[in-house]
Amino acid sequence: MTLPTSELATASSVCDLTVVGGTGDLALRKLLPALYQSERRGNLAPGTRVIGGSRHDLDDAGYRAMVREAVHTHVPAHELDETVIERLLDRVRHVVVDADSPEGWDELHGVLKQAESDDVVRVFYLAVAPRLFGPICQRLDDIGVVEPTSRVVLEKPLGTDLASARRINDAVGQVFDEPQIFRIDHYLGKESVQNLLVTRFANTFLEPLWNSRWIDHVQITAAETLGVGERSGYYDTSGALRDMVQNHLLQLLCLVAMEPPTYVGRETVRDEKLKVLQALKPMSPEDVDRDTVRGSYAAGVVDGAEVPAYADELGRPSQTETFVALRAEVQNWRWAGVPFYLRTGKRMDRRTSEIVVVFKAPPHAMFPGSEGATEPNRLHIRVQPDEGMHLHMTVKEPGPGGIRLRPATLDLSYATAFDAVSPEAYERLLLDVLKGNPTLFMRRDEVEAAWAWVEPVLQRWSSLDERPDEYPAGSSGPAAAEALLERDGRTWQETDR
Ligand code: BG6
């Protein structure tokens, strides 16, 4: 098939990557280690520079020392190579800039002017709070460093509701055109999430079954054992619905539910995901009361250690949810009547992100007098940890005599099937930014459609003025989350360890 030229892969351009928020947690924990890995694999074009921008009074040497420490802390020891670190540090500069003040931005201008050629693509990664996205874009525009080839990368959360997301998008859109804007949802950079597309569309056996005729329901879980820790300031203004469901979980839902695009390209996948978001059944207040569950972790034991309640970590009572379970429906021909149950929580009993597609039971019992029961097939798509796919089937237990039905699993574990370690999501996504490939980034319309769907839930919850149900840290969430499925005659399919 001949692709439009706009879809053809581009090589990694020579870039000046300016990370505003260059001394922040995201930059030090994720971005700089990801750049180290790209350097190690030879994926950074010669001449590419990394310019950290922060309010800290650091010179280049001071920032390089910080980068070195970040790489040592966050890259596994067996992957550390001092010559690679030196190569990365050679690219690194620092400028003192403050989004709230005009000072320092001229220095950034000066550094960018020193680029080795006019072809160098300027990428601005805004690893800062979203309220600063608009003001920073304006400063970049004021100092005249935004060119038609420039790109801006925005971290989630993009706003706290539809109106604030629109304001941010409008402000950024004053300076950058939509194709220049890369909105990160790091779940889309995960290996198994991309494999979901390949599994669905590069094989034939699933597609005829991938609909309401054969699928009973879908479960999507993202459970964490970590609490909110030092992020409680941010988290308490957000909560699990904004932090995880509006973005990561809805993106997974889209990839499960979307129609096959003509080809997997920059706009085609995003077009199809948008259609799914637009087909989500809007929630009335009654739907919210019936189909959503909020939880907040109480003290408990996680991985053998006692941990405090969310409110104690925060230092005050809170109505913010650290757990959400909900039932969604995609109102279209393929999915009519198939519930999508989503759930996410902090301080759960295990760390796992998984999609489980539960098929319908066979229409007719064919083995009268057999021992054991036929169980509905389940396809588990494990996003993390232990990425892979597992198909639960009913088989005959070997041996003479009568037929004994037993459950068994077809296992595809990436670690065993491929002798390669999956790159971190940020490494892949940063390279895509440097190559100018937006396929795995969220478009404005997608982000806004996702906010439009979650907003009635937020509104209803805030109007109720109630505390979320408590669940003990180290558990699978509040009892109401179990009841949400039991009411429909279903149960959460726990991940096999
Ligand atoms: C982030 C959320 O987007 O995703 C965090 O803000 C959450 O609260 C994290 O912990 C989970 O990501 P991962 O890759 O560890 O599943």
Side-chain angles (χ1 to χ4, degrees), residues 299-461:
V301 176
V302 177
D303 291 335
E306 287 188 15
V307 295
Y310 173 65
D312 291 335
E313 281 180 340
L314 192 64
R316 58 182 161 78
S318 166
Q319 293 190 349
T320 300
E321 77 288 353
T322 61
F323 176 99
V324 178
L326 58 82
R327 181 187 193 279
E329 275 181 48
V330 179
Q331 292 183 306
N332 64 16
W333 189 292
R334 186 189 286 264
W335 294 114
V338 177
F340 284 73
Y341 299 100
L342 314 186
R343 124 182 111 149
T344 182
K346 303 238 179 241
R347 287 281 191 234
M348 309 264 297
D349 54 350
R350 61 186 75 180
R351 174 177 184 253
T352 178
S353 295
E354 188 170 58
I355 300 163
V356 185
V357 179
V358 182
F359 290 85
K360 291 193 168 161
H364 168 62
M366 292 259 309
F367 301 98
S370 62
E371 200 189 294
T374 314
E375 287 185 13
N377 297 125
R378 295 189 323 260
L379 178 64
H380 289 239
I381 300 163
R382 178 88 57 88
V383 175
Q384 64 191 21
D386 310 329
E387 299 156 332
M389 269 184 291
H390 312 279
L391 180 63
H392 291 255
M393 308 175 61
T394 301
V395 298
K396 175 187 174 299
E397 187 180 291
I403 289 194
R404 290 180 295 276
L405 304 179
R406 294 285 180 260
T409 309
L410 274 178
D411 276 327
L412 173 69
S413 152
Y414 283 13
T416 334
F418 302 99
D419 191 17
V421 178
S422 301
E424 278 266 336
Y426 274 99
E427 185 185 343
R428 171 188 317 277
L429 294 173
L430 267 172
L431 274 184
D432 277 355
V433 175
L434 301 185
K435 288 180 179 169
N437 179 4
T439 311
L440 297 176
F441 296 81
M442 292 184 296
R443 226 167 40 192
R444 174 175 182 155
D445 47 11
E446 279 181 84
V447 174
E448 293 183 3
W451 276 122
W453 187 72
V454 300
E455 194 153 85
V457 183
L458 292 168
Q459 280 168 358
R460 176 67 180 160
W461 285 354

Side-chain angles (χ1 to χ4, degrees), residues 156 186-187 190 224 231 243-244 248 346 351 384:
K156 67 163 268 281
H186 78 278
Y187 261 58
K190 292 184 190 272
E224 299 179 81
R231 294 171 76 224
D243 187 53
M244 294 289 290
H248 307 323
K346 303 238 179 241
R351 174 177 184 253
Q384 64 191 21

Side-chain angles (χ1 to χ4, degrees), residues 2 13 41 210 254 327 342 353 355 395 423 476 493:
T2 313
S13 339
R41 295 185 228 270
W210 210 253
C254 286
R327 181 187 193 279
L342 314 186
S353 295
I355 300 163
V395 298
S476 59
Q493 299 296 331

Side-chain angles (χ1 to χ4, degrees), residues 201-215:
F201 301 133
N203 297 289
T204 48
F205 74 101
L206 278 177
E207 182 53 23
L209 306 178
W210 210 253
N211 54 52
S212 62
R213 180 149 182 231
W214 297 104
I215 291 180

